[in-house]
Every structure is written in structure tokens, then in C-alpha cells.
Amino acid sequence: MAADAPLSLDLIPTAVLQINTAGQILYANQIMGHLVGYEEVEYLMTLPLANLLFKKNGFHSFDDLPSLFGPIGQEALKRRDGQAVAVSVTYSCNEETAILCFTPAEKIQAHCRSINTQLDEFKNYVSDLQFTQDALEAQGAELARISEEIGHARDLANEANRAKSEFLATMSHELRTPLNGILGMTSMLLNSKIEKHLRENILTIADSGAMLLELLNDILDLSKIEAGHLDLELIGFDLHHLLTQVETLWRPKIEMKGLHFSVSIDQTVPQFIHSDPTRIRQLLTNLINNASKFTHSGSIKINIVQARAGNQAGHLIFSVADTGIGIPKDKLESLFEKFTQADSSTTRQYGGTGLGLAICHQLTELMGGHIDVKSKEGQGSEFSFEIPYTLSEKDKIITLQGEDHLENLPAFMDISLLIAEDNLVNQTVICKILENHIREIDLAGNGLEVLEKLEQGNVYDLILMDIQMPEMDGLEATQKLRQSPDEKAANIPIIALTANAMAGDREYYLKNGLTGYASKPIVMQDLLMEIYRHLTDQEKASFNKPTTDSLSENSSKLAPSAPASKKEQAMDDILACL
């Protein structure tokens, strides 16, 4: 119940506590925090109930509640400052939790005056007792009504969350599927010989598709964070190498705008740390992209320094400073809110949704840090985020994704591959991406066709499996293969190649028989590496190591040639992925 309590119990217009059988406070609403002097309700929820009691015998079980909270007006809670506050209490228990409702002194006094008035008028103890009993019954009925409302509100909230998740999952899949075709086909056109004016038009299409993909990813990231489904991957890695990667990606784009770009790493910053490199890269990318968007002249400077350091841990500060348009002082406080930009003209002139900084804010908090901004309108801005880290040893670091794609990928993989995909455009895109890297490619339109091809004696080294397909989906087909009496079919590597990219999708597929995962739109380097990782050592050993010429040729397919315009430069990283 504790997970739903903040949403439901806040509906009660009185001070409320929820405790477990050990007397630990699980939830307190703002009214309760104000009553006992703990304005930071989150801190109150770390304390035991005993901290709020004057009685020394304290709380041991729910059976103690009647002795701890006696008749109205005879009990007091201990405030944070040590003062007593008189309360009346009603409570309701189940096997695991109890809900306690407290009425403060002012209401107690009013109730006592009412009782005294009744005593003076009727001079009859029995009548007063009956009145009290009626009042308690009324409170019990009210509590029952509130409990019913709580249950109803919880059901509505759960239904709303389910509807939201289903909507996001559906929209993610339905948008990613055509985006894969749009970005894939435009990339193929740009890699072919076309006239200059047509190339500009195609770049505009690719640019629009890329912006839509960025918006979709931002919304999904924000949804994962808010739902608590975005997990950190804390690993040992080479921080200096990650910063070099970031610099290599952004320097040509920023210098193309005529801006000076620099990355400075303080000598006290350790090289090998234990943190989440993916989220650090995402934070830097969002902030650098923001700086590049709003800076027309001058420079963008990245600076990394050590804030606090111990023997094996510390804090790092990453800052991104620009000489751009700056931010008005009255807009700084709301800058990290969702869908917020300095003003509406910013959106019209520069585009964007205002989600990037909101994501940065929530990511830094998820990592145990914080983000700040300093800015002067017309002079520029400096965004900085501070995050904790622990030291790692060189022999324990993990190679980051993207560091060794070209070095480790063979120029050609002598394997047979089956692609299960019902969308004809996506079939074409995937085949075009892989045709220069894979010996043999076969196609199936659904999971049923996959099973039929294997039953017909076709032999494949690996399967790329879409999930949502007609007649038989990819998950069902995979599970049937895993139950096959044919040992080779039962153990064939199967990579989920799907537009389902919600939180938990990858983990769910891996638990249900698939051996790998790649999301759409397709990132060619990642897909090739995912295929390569799932081949046997014997298959890998049979491939020729790429020669200088073949590696150069392969590189030209993995990344476009030097751009001929600023728009092409801006699309460079997208085209390199398709």
C-alpha cells in the first residue's frame, strides 16, 4: 500500500501517518509534517513512530495502539522542537500496515467545548457516553468512506498509469517503424549519386526525421525517469576516453559554425572511475547541443574539475559555458521544468520542446547529484552538474559502446542470416544496411514463416526477429524455437530487432528466449556489433581481419564522407548510424 499512499492519502484533509508492524513511518502527508514541525516530509518518513511519542514504553506492535492513544484530549505528540501538541487519534490496521489520523489541539478544544456543553445541558453521563459513541461511529463511518474513496482513487490512478504506458508503448512502436524507413531510405539516397538540389531536399527530410526521433527519445526518457524505470548502469570506465569521444563528435559541428571549442580536464580528475558513462555522455550531449543552438559567435568551453575527493570516492563537476544569447534572470528558476524555454519566441526561432534540460535535471538527481545554471542575458550561460563517483582500476574497466566498432568488426561476415520483419520498407532498409557485410540474407514476413523455413531444412547462423508481426509474433516464434527438438534450431542466436523501446522491453525479451536486442530506428554500427557478439568464436576466427583498404571501405559505409554543407554536418552523426 505504501507505493500508492502518496497519491491516495493526500486526499484526506487531516494529518495522516502510515506505519508498518515495526512502527516505522512509511508515509506522512504535508498536514502531518506541519503538525509535528517536520516541514520536510521526506525526512519524517525516515523516522520511527517512537520519535513522535512521549511515552517511554513506545511502540512494539499494533496491539499497543489502544494504550498509546487513549481518549480524546488526553494524548500528545512530540514536535520536532520538543514541544507537545495535543491530538485525538483514529486508526485502522491490517496485517502489514496501520493508518493513523490525528486531529490537532484546536479541533480537540472545540470538540471538548462541545462535550462540556452537552454535559451542562443534559447532566447525564449516559447521554454523553452515547454522544461520544455516536461521534466515534460517525468517524468510523467517515474513515470507511475515505478508505473506499482511497481504493477508488488508487484504482483510477493505476488505470491511468496503465493507459499512459500502453499509449506510450503503442506510439513509440508506431512512430519508430516509419521513422526507420524514413531515415534509412534518406540515408541510402544521400549515399548515392544525386543532384545537388535533390540532396538538399533529402537532407531536409532527414533533418525532420531526426528531430522527430530526438523528441520521441526525450519523451520516453522522461517517462522512464518519472515511472522509476530508468536504471543506472554503474561500471568502471575510462572517463578521459569518454570525454575524447564527446569532443571528437562535437568539435567539427561547432567549428563549422565558426565557434571556438575547447575541452579542459583538470589534472586532479581521475582517469578510471565507477559511474554511468551512458548518462554522463547524455548529460554532456544535451548541454553541448543546447549551447550550440543558442550561440552564434564566440566559444563553447567544456571544463571538468574535481569538487570533493576522498580516498576512493569523490564528486566531479562538469560545466558547459557558452557566449550565446543568455537567459533572462526571471526565467532561470523555471528553466529545468518540462516543456519550458526562456520564452515562446525561443521555440519559434530555435525549435525544440524544452525537454532536454528537464531530463538533465532528473538524470543528475537520479545519479545523486544536482545541476545549476549561471547566465547573463546577451553574454552567455554556464550549465554545470555535479555527480558522485568512486575510483576504478584500469584492469576492471569496461570498453564503452562505440569505442571499438570499426577496429573489431570484420569487413565481411561469412554467415547466413534470417530477417523476420513484416514491414516491406523495413525489410528493404535492413537488407540494404547489411548486404555489404553479410554473405547470405533471407527474409520471413512473420514468425510462422520463420518456423516453416527452419522446418524446410534451411540453416541460419542467426535470426533478426521483429516482435510485432501478423499470424505469429516474434516472441511466440522464439519460444517455439527454444522448445524445438532440433538442437541447432533450439540454440540459434535470436536478436530482437523491434520498435518496442519502452522501459523493461529489452529485459523482458531477454528473459523470454531472445539472446540480443536492437531498437529501431536502426543504428548500423550497433546492429553489426550485436550480430558479431552473438557469433561463435569459431565463426569469428574464420573471418578475415579487415585490411587497411577494406577497413577504409567499411568505414565509408559506416559513416558518410566529409559534409559539403552545414546541414550535412549537422546530420553527420545520424547518417553514420544508418
Side-chain angles (χ1 to χ4, degrees):
M1 180 173 179
D4 297 322
L7 177 63
S8 53
L9 295 182
D10 268 337
L11 299 175
I12 302 177
T14 189
V16 179
L17 278 183
Q18 183 186 36
I19 62 172
N20 61 19
T21 55
Q24 176 63 42
I25 298 175
L26 301 178
Y27 171 74
N29 63 6
Q30 289 291 342
I31 300 175
M32 186 68 209
H34 180 72
L35 178 65
V36 293
Y38 291 83
E39 299 299 335
E40 309 89 348
V41 178
E42 291 80 5
Y43 177 70
L44 179 57
M45 288 189 281
T46 66
L47 302 176
L49 178 62
N51 280 38
L52 305 180
L53 304 176
F54 283 99
K55 292 189 175 181
K56 296 185 184 291
N57 56 344
F59 175 90
H60 303 288
S61 71
F62 291 160
D63 293 335
D64 295 332
L65 290 176
S67 63
L68 288 173
F69 301 113
I72 294 173
Q74 293 186 4
E75 293 302 327
L77 292 180
K78 183 192 296 182
R79 288 176 51 85
R80 189 174 190 174
D81 57 10
Q83 297 297 314
V85 55
V87 295
S88 66
V89 187
T90 58
Y91 50 85
S92 177
C93 309
N94 58 30
E95 293 181 358
E96 297 180 353
T97 62
I99 297 174
L100 295 84
C101 298
F102 299 88
T103 304
E106 294 82 2
K107 292 186 178 180
I108 295 174
Q109 294 169 1
H111 194 57
C112 287
R113 284 194 298 270
S114 175
I115 292 175
N116 289 332
T117 300
Q118 292 294 324
L119 287 172
D120 292 339
E121 291 177 356
F122 299 105
K123 302 294 184 179
N124 190 317
Y125 176 77
V126 176
S127 297
D128 179 63
L129 184 61
Q130 183 62 50
F131 171 80
T132 305
Q133 182 179 347
D134 292 342
L136 290 174
E137 288 177 355
Q139 284 187 335
E142 178 68 8
L143 186 58
R145 184 187 66 80
I146 291 173
S147 296
E148 184 179 352
E149 289 182 357
I150 288 170
H152 181 61
R154 181 175 62 247
D155 293 342
L156 289 177
N158 290 337
E159 183 60 32
N161 283 333
R162 282 193 294 271
K164 175 185 174 182
S165 297
E166 289 173 5
F167 173 77
L168 285 174
T170 300
M171 292 307 298
S172 172
H173 183 274
E174 295 305 315
L175 288 172
R176 285 176 181 274
T177 297
L179 270 176
N180 187 61
I182 292 169
L183 294 176
M185 287 299 186
T186 52
S187 175
M188 292 176 203
L189 286 172
L190 290 169
N191 285 328
S192 62
K193 294 181 179 179
I194 54 176
E195 297 179 12
K196 183 177 180 180
H197 72 282
L198 293 177
R199 177 175 291 273
E200 289 294 321
N201 292 339
I202 295 169
L203 278 169
T204 300
I205 296 173
D207 191 17
S208 300
M211 286 190 292
L212 184 57
L213 177 60
E214 180 182 357
L215 172 60
L216 178 61
N217 288 336
D218 281 349
I219 291 174
L220 290 180
D221 269 353
L222 199 60
S223 174
K224 291 176 185 177
I225 294 171
E226 290 181 341
H229 292 158
L230 193 147
D231 297 323
L232 297 177
E233 185 183 16
L234 301 176
I235 60 174
F237 67 98
D238 187 337
L239 174 63
H240 291 202
H241 188 78
L242 181 146
L243 296 171
T244 300
Q245 285 183 310
V246 172
E247 180 180 9
T248 301
L249 173 65
W250 282 100
R251 180 175 293 281
K253 302 174 187 179
I254 292 174
E255 291 182 346
M256 178 68 71
K257 294 184 64 176
L259 303 174
H260 176 70
F261 183 68
S262 64
V263 177
S264 174
I265 307 173
D266 189 79
Q267 61 181 3
T268 62
V269 173
Q271 181 173 358
F272 305 111
I273 68 170
H274 193 263
S275 185
D276 189 329
T278 301
R279 300 307 166 192
I280 292 175
R281 184 188 286 112
Q282 183 178 2
L283 286 165
L284 287 172
T285 296
N286 278 0
L287 295 180
I288 296 172
N289 182 57
N290 207 55
S292 176
K293 183 188 297 185
F294 297 109
T295 305
H296 305 298
S297 62
S299 64
I300 296 175
K301 298 179 180 179
I302 316 301
N303 192 41
I304 301 92
V305 298
Q306 180 130 240
R308 302 190 297 274
N311 292 332
Q312 294 295 322
H315 284 70
L316 294 174
I317 297 178
F318 299 76
S319 64
V320 178
D322 63 63
T323 56
I325 62 175
I327 304 165
K329 187 176 181 179
D330 61 340
K331 302 295 182 181
L332 291 177
E333 289 187 3
S334 62
L335 198 61
F336 295 107
E337 296 177 3
K338 291 175 286 186
F339 303 104
T340 298
Q341 291 188 331
D343 55 55
S344 58
S345 63
T346 301
T347 302
R348 291 194 299 271
Q349 183 175 357
Y350 297 98
T353 62
L355 284 175
L357 291 178
I359 291 172
C360 287
H361 179 254
Q362 297 203 35
L363 276 180
T364 52
E365 288 193 342
L366 183 65
M367 298 176 74
H370 60 88
I371 186 169
D372 296 304
V373 58
K374 295 185 292 186
S375 184
K376 289 187 177 180
E377 192 170 6
Q379 297 183 27
S381 304
E382 180 179 359
F383 288 85
S384 61
F385 62 91
E386 179 178 340
I387 56 172
Y389 73 90
T390 55
L391 291 175
S392 182
E393 298 175 9
K394 184 176 181 179
D395 58 352
K396 293 182 180 180
I397 68 170
I398 295 176
T399 301
L400 301 182
Q401 186 178 18
E403 290 184 6
D404 57 352
H405 282 186
L406 295 181
E407 289 79 358
N408 289 345
L409 272 178
F412 184 78
M413 290 185 243
D414 187 18
I415 61 171
S416 177
L417 178 71
L418 176 61
I419 300 171
E421 168 65 63
D422 64 305
N423 186 286
L424 296 179
V425 173
N426 283 338
Q427 285 184 359
T428 302
V429 170
I430 299 168
C431 287
K432 288 289 185 184
I433 286 174
L434 298 177
E435 64 183 0
N436 294 322
H437 302 278
I438 305 296
R439 170 176 55 82
E440 182 180 358
I441 297 175
D442 197 5
L443 292 170
N446 55 57
L448 197 59
E449 291 183 15
V450 171
L451 300 181
E452 290 173 352
K453 286 180 177 291
L454 289 170
E455 289 171 358
Q456 292 167 3
N458 294 295
V459 178
Y460 305 102
D461 298 299
L462 188 142
I463 299 175
L464 295 182
M465 185 78 78
D466 188 20
I467 298 299
Q468 295 188 17
M469 295 184 290
E471 297 191 55
M472 182 184 289
D473 63 37
L475 198 57
E476 183 181 354
T478 297
Q479 291 170 343
K480 288 186 178 297
L481 283 175
R482 296 306 180 219
Q483 298 167 3
S484 171
D486 182 343
E487 183 177 353
K488 183 171 178 60
N491 293 288
I492 186 171
I494 304 175
I495 298 173
L497 185 59
T498 175
N500 295 335
M502 293 294 291
D505 282 343
R506 180 181 185 276
E507 293 75 13
Y508 178 75
Y509 298 140
L510 295 182
K511 287 180 180 178
N512 284 275
L514 290 112
T515 51
Y517 173 87
S519 65
K520 299 173 184 175
I522 298 168
V523 178
M524 183 171 71
Q525 290 172 295
D526 291 347
L527 178 58
L528 289 172
M529 282 303 300
E530 189 73 6
I531 292 172
Y532 186 68
R533 277 195 292 268
H534 285 82
L535 301 179
T536 65
D537 292 338
Q538 183 178 357
E539 288 170 331
K540 292 178 181 178
S542 68
F543 303 147
N544 293 326
K545 293 292 184 181
T547 62
T548 303
D549 293 338
S550 65
L551 184 59
S552 176
E553 180 183 355
N554 194 35
S555 300
S556 69
K557 293 168 184 172
L558 291 173
S561 57
S565 68
K566 289 186 178 181
K567 184 178 284 188
E568 285 180 309
Q569 176 62 38
M571 290 300 298
D572 181 48
D573 55 327
I574 297 166
L575 298 181
C577 295
L578 296 167

